[in-house]
Amino acid sequence: MASTDVLEPTLEEAGIESRGIERVPADKRTHIRIFDNFTMWLSANLVLSTMALGALAIPVFGLGFWQAVGVIIVFNILGVLPVAFFSTLGPRLGLRQMTITRFSFGWVGAIIMALFNVAACIGWSAVNVIVGAQLVTALSNGRVAAWVGIIVIAVITTLVSIYGYKLVHRYERFAWIPMALIFLLITVIAGPHMKIVAGPALNLSTWALFISFGGAIYGFATGWSSYAADYNVNQPSDTPASRVFWLTFLGVTIPCVLLEVLGVGLTTYLKGVSGGDLVAAVLHSLGGFGTFLLILLALSVIANNIPNDYSLGLSIQVLGRSFQRVNRAVWTLIGAVIYVLIAIPSAGNFNETLTNFLLLMAYWLGPWSIILILEHVVYRHGHYNVDDWNTRSKLPLGWAALIAMAIGLIGVYLGADQTLFVGPIAKLLNTDIGFELGVVFAAVVYLILRPIELRRSR
């Protein structure tokens, strides 16, 4: 421990956050800007990746304009609710999101869930740098290869994220401003050319399209839930939970709905164009100024990637005390190398990569979220033995949560419709209902098994 005590001041002097998943004591919670709960998530979602998701609605899923808008609104609300709820636990408990998982899944179960989250952080980062790199390639008329753009964006992202909590909030506090102005300009230029594309007639097949596209929307929005509490853990414990909830909810919902709808609209104007190429086509008419705006847009993915990189290091520390001894910044660097190696070969098949990845994120996050919510509401009634966060013997065994999670993933398999496999229920209904079945199966099993686990642990 002595070496850690020596290391912490050294890191802080260098501007790098030394604290990892350790619980933040009450006297160390000096982050009092409650509005940061809004700007943090506003900046992280007011990016190209969000717009690119909406652009899948018509060409990939075959929906009409208003059908797509309806799906975007409904499934964003459903996806953001867990994010907003988990955000209230940061100030209340002083613990990171994946560390809170230990109070449901136990020590070993939390390690398994942390591995899921590490994969999610790396995956989101890979998707984002692909979007940014597409724009860089378009700006250079193909002279700059996608792999070069991927590496440049990853390097800038990593340089910012390794410094930790304070710098993350300082960056996100202002990063949304130029992006909001640019997307507003894009809307003004392209708006008159957008068309209201009619969708297919309402029938079982159409509902299948709604649910499948909704799964992608849900996966994008709820993707923040596995590290929601990481970004207000330094706020005082008496921070009003209702304000944290609504600021977080609006911070994610507003940019997701607006940019995804913009993405839908752009595909009615620029057919056969996807991802970053959409905005490149719109701003091309502005000449040199348009090129400058496109450069800023390419860099917008940094605001989205920073939380992924930061929470990656925290999630790895949950794997055990030996991992906890290594500073979060080191794990962030390692994660950056991994997602770059994934992004480069995936860049050529962006639409399929993005769609499949978003649905996979919805799959595991649904069962995981409902287990934590049930634990909080039904069994703990909001009360946690927070001082036991790092004491394995005082945490639940977690078998109830692990079994519920496993059964939830079986539900996912039964209802999933992916390129690699199609579950029997999905095949029967001709739609992807993997995340819905996952949530229902996990909830029912946890409500049955958790009381048994509690009785046997007494």
Side-chain angles (χ1 to χ4, degrees):
M1 182 64 76
S3 60
T4 303
D5 293 338
V6 172
L7 180 62
E8 288 189 6
T10 303
L11 290 173
E12 295 293 351
E13 288 172 5
I16 298 175
E17 180 186 16
S18 60
R19 187 184 304 279
I21 61 170
E22 299 82 12
R23 182 171 183 258
V24 183
D27 60 341
K28 299 293 185 180
R29 301 189 199 175
T30 57
H31 181 200
I32 59 175
R33 289 175 178 261
I34 192 170
F35 199 68
D36 281 352
N37 289 285
F38 177 75
T39 55
M40 171 71 210
W41 301 113
L42 178 64
S43 290
N45 289 282
L46 201 67
V47 296
L48 261 178
S49 307
T50 312
M51 188 217 70
L53 173 58
L56 301 177
I58 294 175
V60 175
F61 290 94
L63 298 179
F65 180 85
W66 289 117
Q67 292 171 341
V69 170
V71 171
I72 286 170
I73 293 173
V74 171
F75 281 87
N76 266 306
I77 291 174
L78 293 175
V80 177
L81 285 175
V83 183
F85 170 73
F86 291 140
S87 290
T88 66
L89 301 183
R92 182 170 185 168
L93 305 180
L95 292 169
R96 308 289 186 165
Q97 188 63 58
M98 293 311 294
T99 308
I100 297 172
T101 302
R102 288 176 173 175
F103 291 96
S104 302
F105 284 82
W107 188 273
V108 175
I111 290 175
I112 295 173
M113 292 298 98
L115 288 172
F116 273 74
N117 199 46
V118 168
C121 292
I122 291 174
W124 286 118
S125 296
V127 168
N128 288 331
V129 294
I130 288 172
V131 176
Q134 278 187 334
L135 198 49
V136 171
T137 301
L139 281 171
S140 65
N141 293 320
R143 288 190 295 271
V144 177
W147 67 267
V148 176
I150 288 172
I151 291 175
V152 170
I153 293 171
V155 168
I156 298 174
T157 301
T158 305
L159 288 175
V160 175
S161 60
I162 60 174
Y163 282 90
Y165 188 97
K166 289 183 179 179
L167 188 58
V168 167
H169 273 289
R170 287 173 184 168
Y171 185 91
E172 306 287 12
R173 199 173 292 155
F174 304 104
W176 67 272
I177 298 174
M179 296 305 108
L181 295 175
I182 294 172
F183 282 118
L184 179 61
L185 179 61
I186 291 172
T187 304
V188 171
I189 295 173
H193 305 284
M194 296 180 188
K195 302 176 180 65
I196 303 298
V197 175
L202 292 179
N203 51 43
L204 288 178
S205 298
T206 307
W207 285 107
L209 296 173
F210 290 170
I211 295 173
S212 295
F213 180 53
I217 296 294
Y218 177 90
F220 188 90
T222 207
W224 300 114
S225 61
S226 57
Y227 29 99
D230 294 352
Y231 300 96
N232 55 17
V233 72
N234 288 331
Q235 293 184 334
S237 57
D238 60 354
T239 304
S242 60
R243 294 186 64 189
V244 172
F245 179 93
W246 286 112
L247 286 170
T248 302
F249 181 85
L250 295 174
V252 181
T253 304
I254 290 174
C256 282
V257 169
L258 293 180
L259 289 195
E260 286 161 13
V261 171
L262 176 61
V264 175
L266 289 179
T267 59
T268 68
Y269 165 42
L270 301 163
K271 297 181 180 180
V273 183
S274 64
D277 294 339
L278 282 168
V279 292
V282 174
L283 295 176
H284 179 73
S285 61
L286 298 180
F289 181 62
T291 302
F292 171 71
L293 296 181
L294 286 169
I295 293 173
L296 292 181
L297 278 175
L299 297 178
S300 76
V301 298
I302 295 172
N304 190 277
N305 260 8
I306 287 173
N308 299 322
D309 286 9
Y310 177 67
S311 289
L312 169 67
L314 297 171
S315 295
I316 292 179
Q317 288 188 332
V318 177
L319 301 182
R321 290 189 174 88
S322 58
F323 292 91
Q324 193 177 335
R325 294 189 189 101
V326 179
N327 187 266
R328 166 203 54 79
V330 175
W331 297 124
T332 294
L333 288 169
I334 294 173
V337 173
I338 294 173
Y339 76 69
V340 165
L341 294 177
I342 293 173
I344 290 174
S346 301
N349 194 14
F350 173 71
N351 274 357
E352 184 178 348
T353 301
L354 176 61
T355 305
N356 290 338
F357 179 73
L358 291 171
L359 287 170
L360 288 172
M361 289 304 95
Y363 288 156
W364 83 271
L365 285 171
W368 171 83
S369 295
I370 196 63
I371 289 170
L372 263 66
I373 291 171
L374 289 174
E375 179 70 21
H376 179 91
V377 176
V378 178
Y379 300 111
R380 292 188 181 271
H381 305 289
H383 300 291
Y384 294 78
N385 48 327
V386 290
D387 292 332
D388 299 334
W389 69 272
N390 208 30
T391 305
R392 182 173 181 173
S393 61
K394 294 184 178 181
L395 294 167
L397 291 176
W399 61 265
L402 281 173
I403 294 175
M405 186 72 190
I407 299 299
L409 292 178
I410 291 175
V412 163
Y413 169 76
L414 294 174
D417 185 354
Q418 287 288 304
T419 54
L420 295 178
F421 66 91
V422 179
I425 296 180
K427 186 178 296 183
L428 178 65
L429 299 177
N430 194 30
T431 187
D432 189 317
I433 58 169
F435 80 87
E436 292 95 340
L437 290 183
V439 169
V440 172
F441 281 28
V444 171
V445 172
Y446 196 64
L447 287 170
I448 294 172
L449 296 184
R450 182 56 171 148
I452 299 174
E453 183 182 37
L454 287 171
R455 285 196 297 268
R456 291 187 176 181
S457 64
R458 288 172 183 168

